[in-house]
Amino acid sequence: QVLLQQWGAGLLKPSETLSLTCAVSGGSFSDYSWTFIRQPPGKGLEWIGDLHHSGSTNHNPSLKSRVTISMDTSKNQFSLKLSSVTAADTAIYYCARVGGIAPPPRRRSYLDYWGQGILVTVAS
Amino acid sequence: AIQMTQSPSSLSASVGDRVTITCRASQYIRDNLGWYQQKPGKAPKLLIYAAASLQSGVPSRFSGSGSATDFTLTISSLQPEDFATYYCLQDYTYPWTFGQGTKVEIK
């Protein structure tokens, strides 16, 4: 059974850097891509970015260049850093595994395993 | 970014009802669409991927259809455990985008 366990600081001040880590167990780490999703309290889901097993990343332009996603393959972990946070970044942050069928360009992806979510609150 | 518009935003239904939720993309997304179910306080759960493929372990009362820009999630006979919020997600192009969600409530 694949498990994603997340941790990170739950309370930040404006302008600080959000830092979350997701540890993967029970399955292959190097064969998959990984992603972060967030959800402001009471609102919908927003894709933050992803990390391919090659090490390449993509991120949501709405977050400008504040996002860094990285991995430590020796520990089967991947991490999110979001700099210069404001109250608008208050949300539950999820990590998830990106599964898929067919190779590019016909790839269809999906998020099949999720972490438990962490509420990150930004307040002065 | 591609806009995903779900309808309705909420609905009330009874156990045993047939429920249909639609998701419309602002541009062509082939069949790169998934459906997710989220219950309060929980992470979303994958139901359908590639528009119509049922995720392993998901009951067969859930089905998906559609391609290009118009997609549908159908629950053939609503069960008590299906009361939740449902989201579509397009993975055709970056940034991936979710619909705003459809809350299915008990009538």
Side-chain angles (χ1 to χ4, degrees):
Chain A
Q1 175 71 354
V2 177
L3 288 176
L4 278 69
Q5 185 73 28
Q6 307 175 229
W7 66 86
L11 180 61
L12 296 172
K13 290 181 168 54
S15 81
E16 292 185 333
T17 295
L18 178 156
S19 182
L20 297 177
T21 297
C22 189
V24 180
S25 60
S28 171
F29 181 79
S30 301
D31 290 340
Y32 289 90
S33 297
W34 306 92
T35 189
F36 286 96
I37 307 293
R38 72 179 183 178
Q39 184 172 37
K43 296 188 178 180
L45 301 164
E46 179 182 31
W47 179 81
I48 296 172
D50 67 8
L51 170 67
H52 291 233
H53 49 78
S54 65
S56 65
T57 61
N58 298 281
H59 66 268
N60 196 324
S62 68
L63 297 170
K64 297 184 172 56
S65 299
R66 299 192 291 133
V67 172
T68 302
I69 301 175
S70 60
M71 63 181 173
D72 184 339
T73 55
S74 67
K75 296 181 179 179
N76 285 3
Q77 295 175 1
F78 62 107
S79 299
L80 169 70
K81 290 189 186 300
L82 181 65
S83 63
S84 304
V85 297
T86 69
D89 295 311
T90 293
I92 299 171
Y93 286 75
Y94 296 100
C95 58
R97 189 179 82 169
V98 183
I101 55 173
R106 296 192 58 77
R107 184 97 173 149
R108 277 81 165 157
S109 298
Y110 48 81
L111 310 182
D112 55 356
Y113 290 96
W114 294 66
Q116 79 277 19
I118 292 180
L119 174 61
V120 177
T121 302
V122 181
S124 54
Chain B
I2 295 176
Q3 305 293 325
M4 304 301 295
T5 303
Q6 279 183 242
S7 60
S9 297
S10 64
L11 64 91
S12 295
S14 300
V15 172
D17 283 354
R18 181 181 183 88
V19 169
T20 299
I21 299 168
T22 65
C23 190
R24 174 164 288 176
S26 62
Q27 62 190 74
Y28 174 83
I29 60 168
R30 196 167 53 188
D31 60 353
N32 287 70
L33 185 106
W35 289 98
Y36 297 80
Q37 176 195 65
Q38 187 179 32
K39 296 181 179 179
K42 300 293 186 181
K45 173 188 173 183
L46 175 66
L47 301 175
I48 301 286
Y49 62 93
S53 296
L54 189 69
Q55 171 67 349
S56 176
V58 173
S60 59
R61 63 181 179 273
F62 291 94
S63 64
S65 65
S67 65
T69 61
D70 293 303
F71 302 86
T72 299
L73 172 70
T74 300
I75 309 172
S76 61
S77 177
L78 197 66
Q79 298 301 301
E81 59 269 30
D82 300 337
F83 292 95
T85 300
Y86 294 84
Y87 294 92
C88 60
L89 168 65
Q90 70 81 16
D91 66 280
Y92 183 69
T93 190
Y94 290 115
W96 292 0
T97 44
F98 289 90
Q100 79 277 16
T102 295
K103 187 173 184 178
V104 177
E105 299 176 300
I106 301 172
K107 182 183 284 185

